[in-house]
């Protein structure tokens, strides 16, 4: 209010220069405010002006007041409109002559604070509060048509000018350009004396900041999704620990793993199948087969090393050590040998059969290559496992003597044998000579993971 009074003082001073004689009278007149020229009001709302009143408002000509406060409404004690701002009639869809002398309650409605009506005692008690008003619909004088007002809201303060007049200094209640344009107004329609323009600019700035923040949030979430997808893809190609080291720019040193069990398999008659059908049929068959095997590998917590054509290689005990590496591979091999029957050959429609070889020992793991880094296993046990697979027969799981002893030792801790074996005897393996092997026929009833009932559940999945 002090800022507004100082502004009005400067404007009044310019008027006083033009009308020096009138200004001198106003300055010397008793009961006048030295800043605004308005009549001073006593404690009960009675005027202290003994000179008979001033025809001008705030020490300014009416035309100047209407221009400075384009949305103001001045009323008397009966709430009859005495004066309105120059922009108010247009926004209310009325003529100035139609508003002068009309009860203000027929033109504007106080929305907040909630009042029963236009009542002086109540308004005087709330004079220091902000008032929110809306236009009242009306009947057109000429046509008699019911006129709905625009969606316009006003806010402002009440200033009691003298004992018999009061002025509501209003401005459109808009916080941003969108709300202002919804009222059919622009920034130039806002009064110069109020801070409403600053409010709108601030609202636009905040809205822009919020919009930018939301956009950044969406981009951040999208980036996180893409990052998770990239990590998932990378972790499917390399162990998680290896991929993290490569992303950090570190060199992954080869590591020796003492207790590892490997699984090798290939499709029986794969060459004949490729000769009999189209390549896309072969790809579809392998995709179905590897989907089943990948699901089972994940179920038994194995690491898939690679697939080469119809060959599938996975391991347990590396890159994350696992005390039950032998049992994990054995259970996986039993499940695969049963679930593979769900996949049929595109050449004759018969269920596929696999040759499977499993072996346990120690090997080295490391990353090779820079263009397409690949996690590879090296060691004699890799060749030995491959020989157990290649010397096997269709639909059978050939198990090395070392792995057999490991599984037998594990079975000693249970109520009975965990696995069913059949001795095959010595098998001549290339580069290995004669090796004693066993057929792993399946899990026993004492094995909760690969018992016939458990395998049937996996088959249904």
């Amino acid at each position: 209010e002090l800022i507004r009074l100082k502004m009005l003082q400067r404007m009044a001073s310019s008027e006083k220069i033009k009308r020096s004689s009138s200004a001198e009278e106003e300055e010397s007149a008793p009961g006048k405010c030295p800043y605004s020229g308005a009549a001073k009001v006593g404690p009960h709302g009675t005027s202290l002006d003994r000179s008979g009143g001033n025809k001008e408002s705030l020490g300014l000509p009416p035309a100047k007041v209407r221009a400075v406060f384009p949305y103001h409404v001045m009323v008397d004690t009966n709430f009859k409109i005495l004066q309105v701002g120059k922009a108010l009639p247009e926004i209310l869809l009325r003529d100035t002559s139609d508003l002068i002398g009309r009860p203000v309650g027929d033109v504007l409605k106080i929305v907040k604070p909630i009042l029963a009506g236009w009542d002086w005692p109540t308004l005087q008690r709330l004079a220091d509060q902000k008032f929110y008003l809306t236009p009242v619909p009306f009947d057109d004088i000429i046509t008699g048509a019911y006129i709905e007002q625009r969606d316009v809201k006003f806010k402002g303060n009440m200033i009691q000018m003298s004992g018999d007049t009061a002025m509501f200094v209003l401005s459109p209640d808009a916080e941003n350009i969108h709300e202002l344009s919804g009222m059919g107004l622009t920034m130039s329609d806002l009064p110069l004396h109020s801070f409403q323009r600053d409010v709108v600019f601030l609202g636009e700035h905040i809205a822009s900041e919020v919009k930018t923040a939301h956009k950044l949030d969406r981009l951040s979430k999208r980036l996180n999704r893409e990052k998770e997808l990239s990590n998932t893809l990378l972790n499917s190609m390399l162990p998680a620990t290896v991929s993290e080291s490569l992303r950090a720019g570190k060199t992954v040193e080869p590591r020796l793993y003492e207790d590892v069990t490997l699984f090798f398999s290939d499709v029986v008659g794969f060459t004949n199948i490729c000769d009999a059908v189209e390549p896309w049929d072969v790809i579809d068959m392998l995709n179905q087969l590897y989907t089943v095997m990948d699901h089972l590998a994940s179920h038994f917590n194995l690491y898939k090393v690679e697939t080469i054509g119809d060959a599938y290689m996975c391991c347990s005990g590396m890159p994350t050590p696992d005390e039950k590496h032998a049992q994990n591979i054995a259970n996986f091999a039993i499940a695969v040998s049963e679930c593979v029957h769900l996949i049929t050959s595109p050449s004759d429609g018969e269920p596929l059969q696999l040759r499977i070889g499993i072996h346990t020992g120690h090997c080295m793991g490391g990353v090779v290559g820079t263009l397409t880094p690949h996690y590879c296993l090296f060691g004699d046990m890799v060749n030995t496992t491959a020989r157990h697979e290649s010397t096997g027969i269709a639909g059978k799981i050939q198990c090395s003597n070392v792995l057999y002893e490991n599984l037998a030792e594990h079975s000693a801790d249970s109520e009975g044998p965990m696995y069913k074996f059949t001795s095959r005897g010595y098998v001549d393996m290339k580069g290995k000579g004669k090796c004693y092997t066993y057929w792993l026929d399946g899990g026993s009833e004492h094995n909760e993971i690969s018992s016939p009932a458990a395998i049937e559940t996996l088959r249904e999945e």
Side-chain angles (χ1 to χ4, degrees):
E1 292 301 324
L2 290 176
I3 295 175
R4 184 182 293 111
L5 287 174
K6 289 184 179 297
M7 292 175 60
L8 293 174
Q9 182 185 13
R10 289 195 295 269
M11 297 176 66
S13 298
S14 61
E15 293 294 329
K16 290 175 183 178
I17 294 175
K18 298 178 181 179
R19 301 178 291 111
S20 59
S21 59
S22 175
E24 292 176 356
E25 293 177 0
E26 290 177 357
E27 290 177 357
S28 61
K32 298 289 184 174
C33 176
Y35 295 104
S36 65
K40 296 182 180 179
V41 181
H44 301 289
T46 59
S47 176
L48 299 179
D49 184 10
R50 307 306 181 194
S51 63
N54 186 10
K55 296 182 180 180
E56 296 182 353
S57 303
L58 299 174
L60 298 175
K64 181 67 68 175
V65 175
R66 294 180 66 246
V68 173
F69 302 101
Y71 300 99
H72 84 276
V73 178
M74 188 177 295
V75 297
D76 60 13
T77 54
N78 297 320
F79 293 105
K80 299 287 187 178
I81 297 177
L82 302 177
Q83 181 178 296
V84 296
K86 69 175 185 178
L88 189 62
E90 181 180 357
I91 201 172
L92 294 179
L93 306 178
R94 298 190 179 192
D95 293 332
T96 303
S97 59
D98 182 38
L99 295 175
I100 302 301
R102 183 179 294 273
V104 69
D106 295 345
V107 179
L108 296 172
K109 176 184 177 182
I110 298 178
V111 179
K112 188 178 179 181
I114 300 176
L115 303 175
W118 292 85
D119 177 67
W120 272 120
T122 304
L123 292 177
Q124 287 175 343
R125 288 195 301 269
L126 302 175
D128 59 338
Q129 294 192 20
K130 186 78 70 175
F131 288 86
Y132 295 84
L133 303 92
T134 57
V136 176
F138 65 97
D139 295 327
D140 187 81
I141 298 177
I142 300 176
T143 63
Y146 184 73
I147 305 298
E148 285 283 356
Q149 292 285 3
R150 288 188 290 180
D151 186 17
V152 182
K153 297 177 292 183
F154 298 100
K155 67 178 179 180
N157 301 93
M158 184 186 76
I159 301 176
Q160 190 165 349
M161 309 300 296
S162 65
D164 58 353
T165 61
M167 185 170 71
F168 289 86
V169 182
L170 307 176
S171 61
D173 184 17
E175 296 183 356
N176 51 57
I177 295 294
H178 178 72
E179 293 182 5
L180 196 63
S181 62
M183 301 180 187
L185 303 175
T186 61
M187 289 291 294
S188 61
D189 295 320
L190 296 177
L192 294 173
H193 76 279
S194 71
F195 298 103
Q196 195 62 27
R197 295 192 179 195
D198 296 334
V199 171
V200 172
F201 279 123
L202 181 60
E204 283 297 304
H205 177 70
I206 294 175
S208 177
E209 291 293 327
V210 171
K211 185 177 180 180
T212 302
H214 287 171
K215 183 177 180 180
L216 290 176
D217 183 60
R218 291 194 298 269
L219 291 175
S220 177
K221 291 180 178 178
R222 181 178 177 183
L223 179 62
N224 289 335
R225 289 195 298 268
E226 294 295 334
K227 185 177 180 180
E228 291 176 0
L229 180 61
S230 175
N231 291 341
T232 301
L233 181 60
L234 186 59
N235 291 339
S236 67
M237 302 170 60
L238 298 169
T241 55
V242 173
S243 61
E244 291 176 2
S245 298
L246 291 178
R247 279 197 299 267
K250 299 179 181 178
T251 301
V252 181
E253 298 294 337
R255 179 180 174 184
L256 176 65
Y257 296 87
E258 295 290 348
D259 300 309
V260 179
T261 302
L262 294 183
F263 170 98
F264 272 79
S265 71
D266 70 345
V267 178
V268 176
F270 181 73
T271 303
N272 295 332
I273 294 174
C274 293
D275 292 339
V277 299
E278 297 294 338
W280 49 80
D281 293 325
V282 176
I283 294 174
D284 183 61
M285 177 196 72
L286 292 177
N287 183 53
Q288 296 181 49
L289 174 62
Y290 292 157
T291 299
V292 171
M293 297 181 72
D294 288 346
H295 173 75
L296 295 174
S298 176
H299 178 78
F300 291 106
N301 195 27
L302 308 182
Y303 176 70
K304 177 183 176 182
V305 180
E306 62 180 345
T307 57
I308 303 176
D310 63 323
Y312 191 97
M313 177 183 178
C314 65
C315 65
S316 180
M318 66 176 301
T320 303
D322 191 336
E323 294 181 354
K324 298 183 178 181
H325 58 92
Q327 295 91 320
N328 293 337
I329 288 293
N331 295 331
F332 172 73
I334 295 170
V336 168
S337 63
E338 291 294 330
C339 295
V340 72
H341 298 153
L342 299 173
I343 314 300
T344 58
S345 170
S347 60
D348 55 13
E350 294 295 325
L352 291 181
Q353 289 187 315
L354 299 180
R355 276 188 299 266
I356 299 175
I358 55 178
H359 175 55
T360 191
H362 61 272
C363 68
M364 184 77 72
V367 178
V368 295
T370 56
L371 184 61
T372 54
H374 191 67
Y375 188 74
C376 298
L377 307 185
F378 302 93
D380 181 67
M381 74 163 297
V382 178
N383 296 329
T384 303
T385 307
R387 296 293 180 263
H388 280 76
E389 175 267 319
S390 60
T391 58
I393 62 177
K396 288 287 188 177
I397 304 170
Q398 185 163 219
C399 173
S400 69
N401 184 52
V402 178
L403 181 55
Y404 167 79
E405 293 178 355
N406 189 305
L407 296 174
E409 181 181 355
H410 174 70
S411 299
D413 298 332
S414 62
E415 298 178 356
M418 300 285 289
Y419 301 95
K420 299 177 182 179
F421 290 97
T422 301
S423 176
R424 184 183 185 187
Y426 287 98
V427 178
D428 190 11
M429 297 184 182
K430 182 180 179 181
K432 298 296 175 183
K434 293 185 178 296
C435 299
Y436 200 89
T437 64
Y438 295 84
W439 297 122
L440 176 59
D441 299 323
S444 68
E445 297 297 335
H446 302 289
N447 190 337
E448 297 179 355
I449 300 177
S450 60
S451 64
I455 296 301
E456 182 60 29
T457 300
L458 286 175
R459 182 186 176 97
E460 293 175 358
E461 290 181 3

